[in-house]
């Protein structure tokens, strides 16, 4: 039986988010405050129009989180933002290659606990590998993933022109330990990047994936394997991308809508759901349901 929800129900329904970067959730005022505390230059304004411009801002802002208290503050503040949107489960990525030493990891653990205690929100972590990163850096990321409380998967970021298949051994080690894997693929790269993520690395969930759009064979691969695309409409639009999300949905490819970098875009998950529904013609209830179905962790 088809369930029709009222507008009020849709706005208060419990939400899950699967594609959001901790470094992209740092409030501008917090980035300025933490940079001053840590003796760093004031980070640039959150202004950009392409991926290169975004990454330049992102890397500098990421540096403002230095101590475990810095991480705990950012996580708690994002918890406040999630609570106001009725998000009760989130898988949040962080990139160890942007943060030297390991003292900050305690802040990740404590921040997660404080968000659960104060807001009743379950945070699970994805630890990011980097395309073209050093062997040592990617091994370190895997070690953090395997030893840190609350980690449910690996992510993968970096230049999509660099093959990801050399990282397959790390992905398999994580998978053997019960972790999921959500690589960025097909954000600005083409269909071949999405095919590599699915066929070579065994991804069942892909961040973005919209580069598959022009290739019927790769689209069918996504359909056949039931791969979920964790798409981000406003984030894509900020860097000049306008994918045909409806094309993916009409083919039966599972879609979950996300904020990506909510403080930098800026956006909220409620807004992304509205944009997906009103601008792209997607089914809001289906998007919400898909996010819950394709999470790596389990909700209490």
């Amino acid at each position: 039986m088809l369930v029709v929800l009222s507008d009020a129900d849709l706005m208060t329904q419990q939400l899950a988010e699967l594609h959001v970067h901790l470094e992209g959730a740092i409030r501008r005022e917090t980035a300025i405050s933490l940079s001053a505390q840590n003796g760093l230059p004031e980070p640039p304004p959150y202004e950009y129009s392409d991926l290169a411009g975004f990454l330049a801002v992102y890397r500098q802002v990421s540096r403002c989180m230095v101590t475990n208290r810095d991480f705990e503050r950012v996580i708690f503040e994002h918890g406040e933002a999630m609570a106001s949107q009725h998000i009760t489960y989130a898988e949040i990525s962080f990139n160890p290659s942007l943060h030297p030493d390991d003292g900050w990891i305690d802040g990740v653990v404590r921040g997660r606990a404080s968000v659960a205690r104060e807001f009743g929100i379950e945070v699970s972590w994805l630890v990011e590998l980097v395309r073209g990163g050093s062997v040592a850096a990617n091994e370190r990321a895997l070690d953090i993933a395997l030893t840190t409380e609350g980690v449910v998967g690996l992510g993968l970021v970096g230049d999509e022109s660099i093959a990801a298949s050399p990282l397959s051994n790390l992905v398999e080690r994580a998978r053997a330990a019960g972790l999921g894997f959500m690589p960025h693929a097909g954000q600005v790269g083409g269909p071949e990047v999405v095919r590599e993520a699915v066929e070579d690395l065994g991804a069942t969930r892909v961040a973005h994936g919209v580069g598959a759009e022009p290739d019927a064979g790769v689209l069918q691969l996504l359909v056949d394997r039931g791969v979920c695309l964790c798409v981000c409409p406003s984030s894509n639009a900020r860097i000049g991308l306008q994918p045909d999300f409806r094309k993916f949905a009409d083919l039966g490819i599972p879609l979950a809508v996300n904020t990506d970098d909510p403080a930098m875009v800026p956006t909220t998950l409620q807004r992304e759901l509205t944009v997906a529904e009103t601008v792209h013609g997607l089914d809001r209830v289906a998007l919400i349901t898909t996010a819950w179905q394709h999470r790596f962790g389990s909700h209490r």
Side-chain angles (χ1 to χ4, degrees), residues 27-50:
R27 299 173 182 175
R28 169 76 175 143
E29 60 270 24
T30 300
I32 293 172
S33 172
L34 293 180
S35 294
Q37 289 177 27
N38 292 315
L40 300 170
E42 180 174 309
Y46 293 175
E47 298 174 359
Y48 57 92
S49 58
D50 55 24

Side-chain angles (χ1 to χ4, degrees), residues 58-116:
Y58 187 88
R59 292 189 187 102
Q60 187 166 338
V61 170
S62 298
R63 297 190 189 106
C64 79
M65 289 194 298
V66 176
T67 70
N68 54 24
R69 290 184 181 273
D70 298 343
F71 278 79
E72 191 170 359
R73 174 180 173 179
V74 169
I75 293 163
F76 187 85
E77 288 180 353
H78 187 56
E80 290 180 315
M82 291 191 291
S84 71
Q85 301 170 60
H86 305 286
I87 297 171
T88 57
Y89 178 84
E91 294 183 4
I92 303 175
S93 303
F94 62 86
N95 184 348
S97 74
L98 298 173
H99 311 290
D101 304 318
D102 291 336
W104 52 270
I105 296 174
D106 286 342
V108 169
V109 174
R110 291 207 305 267
R112 175 177 182 263
S114 69
V115 167

